[in-house]
Amino acid sequence: MRHDGRLGFVLFVALSCAGMVLAQQNAAPAPPADRKITLDVVVSPKSGPPVADLQQQDFTLLDNNAPQTITSFKVVPGREAPIEVVVVIDAVNASYQTVSVARPEIDKFLRAEGGRLAYPVALVLFTDKGTQGLGSFSTDGNALSAELDQTDVALRSITRAAGFYGATERFELSIRTLGQLVTRMATVPGRKLMLWVSPGWPLLSGPRVDLDSKQQQEIFANIVTLSTQLRQARVTLYNINPLGNSESLGAVSYYKDFVKGVSKPSQVAVGDLGLPVLATQSGGLVLNLNNDVASLLRECLSDSAPYYEISFDPPPGDKRDEYHHLEIKLAKPGLTARTRQGYYAQPSQPN
């Protein structure tokens, strides 16, 4: 990366395109008039499945460390949960060989238990030619498997696919596609899971990647938009890395440097928009260093329910796009609650 000036220009072009696409095509749904926020909360012990025997008084909801009144509370049990699942097969950020190895694992997941899926599932193939839906939502895993078997995944053809140029193109396409998919999912009521089978798009962050103020504003706008879209659509994002144990521990854990929510443009890095970062912040899981992709997909489903549907009326922000950190404390020891890590509040009267 000797040509730092050229590098900054390429990065700026990618971020500008992504920001423009999200702003124009994937505007987040309008917030409800009562400003209510609904959280899907999974409570688990250190090991073992989620639990469903807690009461409202066992939960304390903190917004920027201030306790909030829970306005509605509901326990949603196991397979009765009204959940829909989208499995995204990423052929943009994974090589043809990696996708070829992951496909029979996805097939194994679909055909488990005689092909009887716990929740309605839809398959989406993500390529640099666009996204392709493989059938509609179905609990018939055998039928979905047949659709997948009939689909060819061509080699990606993103120009300048190597080096930083190709990385910025994959980043821009991935962010745009994620926004488009969440927008489509927002039209369906209830809770949704997006299981993205991918090593993730490039984080484009490091000691020699400097951002000017305009680039920081672009990234921050994308962060706010995607965070709001995922929350309002009630989408929990999961990242399943098909590279398994072929990746180093350092490579798969680097995203953890970016999972803390950002409150202003001067704090941002491109890595704040990474797939594992967004998954963690949405309340989902990042699963890697395991070659058994089928078991990782099953883990996502078993992790998702039972769960608790909790609502509260958030305080208005003092300024536009004000970041609020969310935390749920439990009265019973030995349990952990996982849900969205934060949201961006707006003033009562928009500035």
Short mmCIF file of all heavy atoms in Angstrom, two decimals, residues 94 275 306 324:
data_model
loop_
_atom_site.label_atom_id
_atom_site.label_comp_id
_atom_site.label_asym_id
_atom_site.label_seq_id
_atom_site.Cartn_x
_atom_site.Cartn_y
_atom_site.Cartn_z
N ALA A 94 -16.57 -15.03 -0.57
CA ALA A 94 -15.98 -16.36 -0.46
C ALA A 94 -15.59 -16.84 -1.85
O ALA A 94 -16.26 -16.52 -2.83
CB ALA A 94 -16.96 -17.34 0.18
N LEU A 275 -19.34 -7.41 8.76
CA LEU A 275 -20.42 -8.37 8.97
C LEU A 275 -20.44 -8.91 10.40
O LEU A 275 -21.50 -8.90 11.05
CB LEU A 275 -20.31 -9.52 7.95
CG LEU A 275 -21.30 -10.68 8.13
CD1 LEU A 275 -22.75 -10.20 8.07
CD2 LEU A 275 -21.04 -11.76 7.08
N PRO A 306 -36.32 -20.55 22.92
CA PRO A 306 -37.29 -19.51 23.26
C PRO A 306 -36.62 -18.16 23.48
O PRO A 306 -35.42 -18.09 23.69
CB PRO A 306 -37.90 -20.05 24.57
CG PRO A 306 -36.82 -20.90 25.16
CD PRO A 306 -36.14 -21.54 23.99
N HIS A 324 -27.44 5.37 21.87
CA HIS A 324 -27.84 4.90 23.19
C HIS A 324 -27.43 3.44 23.33
O HIS A 324 -27.80 2.60 22.50
CB HIS A 324 -29.35 5.02 23.37
CG HIS A 324 -29.83 6.41 23.63
ND1 HIS A 324 -30.67 6.74 24.67
CD2 HIS A 324 -29.56 7.58 22.98
CE1 HIS A 324 -30.92 8.03 24.66
NE2 HIS A 324 -30.26 8.57 23.64
#
